[in-house]
Amino acid sequence: MPYDTLISPAQLASLLNDPSADVLVCDCSFDLANPAAGVAMYRDAHVPGAAYLHLEADLSGPKNGQNGRHPLPDREQFATALARAGASDATQIVCYDSAAGMFAARLWWLARWAGHRDVAVLDGGLPAWRAAGQPLESGTGETCAGGHFTLRAPLAATVDFATVLANIGSGERVVIDARAADRFRGENETLDAIGGHIPNARNRFFRDNLDADGRFKSPDALHREIAAIAGTADGAALIAQCGSGVTACHNLLAMQIAGIRGAALYPGSWSEWSSRKDAPIATGSA
């Protein structure tokens, strides 16, 4: 069966042990404070056969000073990166990291943005894989022959700066900010030049999507909690953002699991918003 949100270590192991399965595992390990660390983590230990995709080289596009810290990549270039890693149109893609899914969720969202439905995040990431006693390998992995990945109609929506700015006045949609509560309030900002949040935004820290064991909460729990914060269970009425469009994808995955579908990503997020002179800024918890 195809997986389009989460996959467990046991389910992934079953796929990897099935010679007829078309599956690509992608390691998305990364460290925002040390961009070279992800490759080192991958070389140290990864799921057997996994390819490595780098947040900045493969899952982001060029920065111009006003489009945020992790702009979306060009769709054609992203499709090429997936094909180079071994993905074809019928491939089951599985992505993981060791950081609560914050980077793997970005690949999950991007694959859907490229029109690929069969993509799932390994629930619990590499720690859950280890805890289940599943095998690991080290090194750079074998060179893949590549796949034939075709761009299709997006399964994920985006909004731009102008849309989010206009929404402050219209109030038609609710902006959900995935950053930690202190950064949302405008405190302890270390990644962007200015602290605060988009006026009228509501805060849902992405780690609140997880249980104490690092796995996603149940669909019912996610639905209840997200709808309570958003004031609606209509995904089309929601916009997800964070610092740079990465952990917002974690909230979008949680919404998909919860059946709250149709929310859009604001890719530039706070790193773009705070760089614009015409962008109003709010501080505090509301």
Side-chain angles (χ1 to χ4, degrees):
M1 63 174 289
Y3 300 90
D4 61 4
T5 53
L6 298 174
I7 187 171
S8 71
Q11 289 167 330
L12 175 57
S14 179
L15 282 180
L16 294 178
N17 289 326
D18 181 355
S20 67
D22 180 1
V23 58
L24 167 66
V25 181
C26 296
D27 187 313
C28 302
S29 300
F30 197 74
D31 184 342
L32 292 172
N34 180 8
V39 175
M41 288 187 279
Y42 167 76
R43 289 175 176 167
D44 180 61
H46 56 263
V47 173
Y52 181 72
L53 292 182
H54 191 281
L55 175 64
E56 295 182 347
D58 301 309
L59 309 183
S60 302
K63 293 178 281 190
N64 62 21
Q66 282 203 320
N67 61 351
R69 286 182 282 109
H70 296 108
L72 293 184
D74 174 82
R75 286 182 86 231
E76 291 283 355
Q77 292 178 351
F78 174 66
T80 298
L82 281 183
R84 185 171 59 246
S88 294
D89 293 348
T91 299
Q92 172 69 64
I93 300 174
V94 176
C95 37
Y96 73 87
D97 57 41
S98 296
M102 64 184 293
F103 305 114
R106 168 78 166 205
L107 176 52
W108 171 84
W109 186 91
L110 285 172
R112 290 178 55 80
W113 181 59
H116 194 78
R117 189 178 302 276
D118 297 344
V119 55
V121 170
L122 178 62
D123 200 12
L126 193 62
W129 182 262
R130 288 180 185 270
Q134 298 294 349
L136 294 164
E137 67 179 17
S138 59
T140 58
E142 298 180 4
T143 301
C144 174
H148 301 280
F149 187 87
T150 307
L151 279 177
R152 286 149 282 174
L155 301 173
T158 62
V159 293
D160 59 11
F161 172 84
T163 300
V164 179
L165 182 63
N167 185 71
I168 294 175
S170 70
E172 292 180 356
R173 302 166 86 173
V174 179
V175 176
I176 305 294
D177 189 326
R179 295 176 299 160
D182 58 341
R183 291 186 65 206
F184 179 83
R185 294 191 300 266
E187 304 164 5
N188 305 316
E189 181 57 67
T190 59
L191 295 173
D192 296 304
I194 299 173
H197 61 264
I198 297 170
N200 303 327
R202 304 180 188 184
N203 188 209
R204 167 72 176 187
F205 185 33
F206 79 94
R207 288 185 182 271
D208 290 342
N209 297 322
L210 307 174
D211 280 324
D213 63 0
R215 291 174 171 83
F216 276 80
K217 295 176 180 176
S218 71
D220 286 346
L222 290 171
H223 189 282
R224 181 174 61 254
E225 293 175 11
I226 294 170
I229 290 170
T232 179
D234 177 9
L238 304 180
I239 295 171
Q241 57 99 180
C242 56
S244 63
V246 176
T247 58
C249 297
H250 200 282
N251 275 353
L252 288 166
L253 172 57
M255 292 177 197
Q256 190 76 8
I257 295 166
I260 301 173
R261 295 172 181 164
L265 173 68
Y266 170 33
S269 286
W270 183 250
S271 57
E272 176 185 52
W273 189 269
S274 61
S275 73
R276 303 289 287 261
K277 293 181 179 179
D278 53 341
I281 292 175
T283 55
S285 57

